[in-house]
Amino acid sequence: MNQEAMENRLRAMKETYDSISEKLMSEEVLSSVKESARLSREQARLAAPCEAYEKLLELNRRIDEANELVHDDDEELRMMAEEELAECLPEREKLLEKIQILLIPRDPDDDHDVIMEIRGGAGGDEGNIFAGDLYRMYVKYAEGNGWKVSVMEASESQAGGFSQIIFEIHGNDVYRALKYESGAHRVQRVPKTESQGRIQTSTATVLCQPIAEDADIEIDPKDLTIETHRASGAGGQHINKTDSAVRIVHVPTGITVNCQEGRSQIENRETAMRLIKSRVYEEYKRIKEEQEGKERRAKIGTGDRSEKIRTYNYPQNRVTDHRIGYTITQLDRVMEGKLQDILDRLQQDDERQKLEAAE
């Protein structure tokens, strides 16, 4: 994209930003929490490009003034103009590179909190243990970013770990950081129960979805079938004594959630409603993108549970992300939540592909 095209897009974004600022002061918007939240998110999305635009205008002004003086008869003025150009031209080139990235269409869900679900996969007990290891890894990463983690549902495995655990992460740009984690994670290591020291390959699957907000989607209560039933399995003294478990079906999509780990029917119902809302939101978004012919989450990943995205090799202390062909020999650090390097690489590859597509 050439500089003129960039400036035209930035100018339009600045006009939109200023228009939103005016709307946010109007009584009509102030009286609507939903509309105010929507506009505030849109304004926040435009803030960085608008700031870059202001810097670009200032650099252009300085460069234009220096170009006028570079041929002046006064030698001192010429030298000052040349120094100004030597400083401003490289700075503008770097800024234009940054603006290219800023102009990539941002995923509207990037600033959302997330619901993550991890399930033990192939490998029996070892798959469940690995699911627990992944949960701990994400908790450590979240804590390092100052994010809050809260468990919604958890089915512990007798051997350790979880057959399934669902949890929320709340913070700044959580979905932007973790949206490429969905898929099958493979572990290669010697299980604790293996007496011969043989390496076993097991898997756990991860699903990361943005938490749908009121401004994102409205679900008609008539589209929901809500049932209560007695919880099954280990989980506390209330199990099998009361109809505390809640199952909700969204009839139009057939999406079903079942929650039973809460201590009351009310708690399980609230959890199930948050889950169904986010999953229906994701499904409608998927349908809309398919109808518009858009690529689903670029080419890095589809979010499909069956897609093998990463291997954790314990004997060699190695982690490999198969989507971008990236390997690091710091598995011990990664499992302690030091994920940022891998996540940054995924983000950069996504941006590169989008830039290539735009060009």
Side-chain angles (χ1 to χ4, degrees):
M1 187 186 301
N2 60 40
Q3 185 176 336
E4 183 181 357
M6 282 188 193
E7 291 191 22
N8 288 337
R9 285 189 61 184
L10 288 169
R11 188 179 302 109
M13 295 171 92
K14 182 65 168 63
E15 290 172 358
T16 302
Y17 182 93
D18 293 339
S19 174
I20 290 174
S21 296
E22 291 182 13
K23 289 179 181 177
L24 284 171
M25 299 300 292
S26 69
E27 291 185 12
E28 182 181 354
V29 172
L30 288 172
S31 62
S32 171
V33 175
K34 182 177 178 180
E35 183 64 7
S36 180
R38 185 188 71 80
L39 288 173
S40 294
R41 284 202 307 273
E42 177 67 9
Q43 187 181 54
R45 183 183 66 81
L46 294 169
C50 289
E51 182 181 345
Y53 180 51
E54 295 290 346
K55 290 181 180 178
L56 181 61
L57 290 178
E58 175 63 16
L59 282 171
N60 286 343
R61 182 190 64 77
R62 290 169 61 185
I63 289 170
D64 289 343
E65 289 179 355
N67 279 328
E68 289 180 6
L69 295 173
V70 79
H71 300 295
D72 197 274
D73 293 335
D74 189 314
E75 183 179 356
E76 186 176 348
L77 284 177
R78 287 201 311 273
M79 290 180 62
M80 289 175 60
E82 288 170 359
E83 289 175 1
E84 182 79 344
L85 288 173
E87 177 186 341
C88 291
L89 288 173
E91 189 176 344
R92 184 170 68 178
E93 285 304 308
K94 288 182 180 179
L95 181 59
L96 289 173
E97 289 177 6
K98 177 183 176 182
I99 288 172
Q100 270 199 315
I101 302 298
L102 290 173
L103 290 179
I104 294 173
R106 181 179 168 93
D107 186 335
D109 294 330
D110 275 357
D111 60 354
H112 283 41
D113 300 321
V114 303
I115 293 175
M116 296 193 77
E117 178 182 350
I118 305 175
R119 292 183 187 175
D125 289 341
E126 180 63 14
N128 293 337
I129 292 170
F130 182 50
D133 293 339
L134 288 177
Y135 167 67
R136 180 177 177 274
M137 177 185 76
Y138 290 124
V139 169
K140 290 281 188 180
Y141 177 72
E143 289 174 348
N145 283 283
W147 298 342
K148 180 182 177 183
V149 179
S150 56
V151 175
M152 303 173 76
E153 281 277 299
S155 299
E156 295 184 9
S157 170
Q158 289 186 346
F162 303 94
S163 59
Q164 179 190 47
I165 183 165
I166 305 173
F167 54 101
E168 296 174 309
I169 303 181
H170 297 266
N172 294 323
D173 285 352
V174 182
Y175 186 68
R176 181 176 185 270
L178 296 174
K179 62 183 173 182
Y180 299 119
E181 291 303 288
S182 293
H185 295 238
R186 183 174 69 172
V187 62
Q188 295 173 327
R189 63 185 176 188
V190 178
K192 295 177 181 177
T193 55
E194 174 55 58
S195 59
Q196 302 297 320
R198 290 172 296 192
I199 296 173
Q200 179 178 323
T201 297
S202 308
T203 63
T205 60
V206 175
L207 181 64
C208 178
Q209 295 180 315
I211 295 179
E213 301 175 359
D214 291 339
D216 296 323
I217 186 173
E218 288 185 11
I219 296 180
D220 189 336
K222 295 177 183 177
D223 289 338
L224 299 177
T225 299
I226 303 176
E227 302 172 348
T228 58
H229 60 95
R230 295 195 176 186
S232 60
Q237 296 299 315
H238 66 286
I239 294 298
N240 289 325
K241 292 185 178 180
T242 61
D243 291 340
S244 60
V246 176
R247 181 184 297 109
I248 300 180
V249 180
H250 182 251
V251 178
T253 61
I255 292 172
T256 302
V257 299
N258 187 75
C259 293
Q260 66 175 37
E261 297 299 317
R263 296 188 175 277
S264 69
Q265 185 184 119
I266 293 175
E267 187 176 329
N268 284 325
R269 185 187 177 104
E270 289 175 349
T271 299
M273 283 300 296
R274 292 203 303 279
L275 278 172
I276 201 81
K277 191 172 185 179
S278 290
R279 291 183 182 175
V280 170
Y281 170 63
E282 271 282 274
E283 177 63 11
Y284 281 158
K285 186 172 70 170
R286 181 190 66 79
I287 292 171
K288 182 173 182 288
E289 288 177 353
E290 285 186 356
Q291 290 173 343
E292 294 176 351
K294 293 182 179 179
E295 291 185 18
R296 182 68 170 156
R297 290 183 190 162
K299 296 178 181 177
I300 282 185
T302 61
D304 191 330
R305 282 186 188 274
S306 64
E307 181 186 12
K308 182 183 73 177
I309 65 168
R310 196 175 296 148
T311 294
Y312 305 73
N313 184 297
Y314 275 73
Q316 298 178 22
N317 196 37
R318 185 184 72 220
V319 182
T320 298
D321 195 288
H322 303 290
R323 295 162 294 180
I324 55 176
Y326 180 61
T327 297
I328 55 173
T329 52
Q330 298 178 355
L331 171 62
D332 50 345
R333 296 184 73 253
V334 169
M335 298 311 293
E336 288 299 315
K338 303 297 190 293
L339 277 168
Q340 198 59 56
D341 183 50
I342 297 174
L343 300 180
D344 286 345
R345 299 269 182 159
L346 287 164
Q347 184 70 37
Q348 290 163 11
D349 198 71
D350 186 26
E351 291 171 350
R352 177 187 60 78
Q353 292 182 32
K354 287 176 178 176
L355 275 175
E356 289 175 355
E359 291 171 356

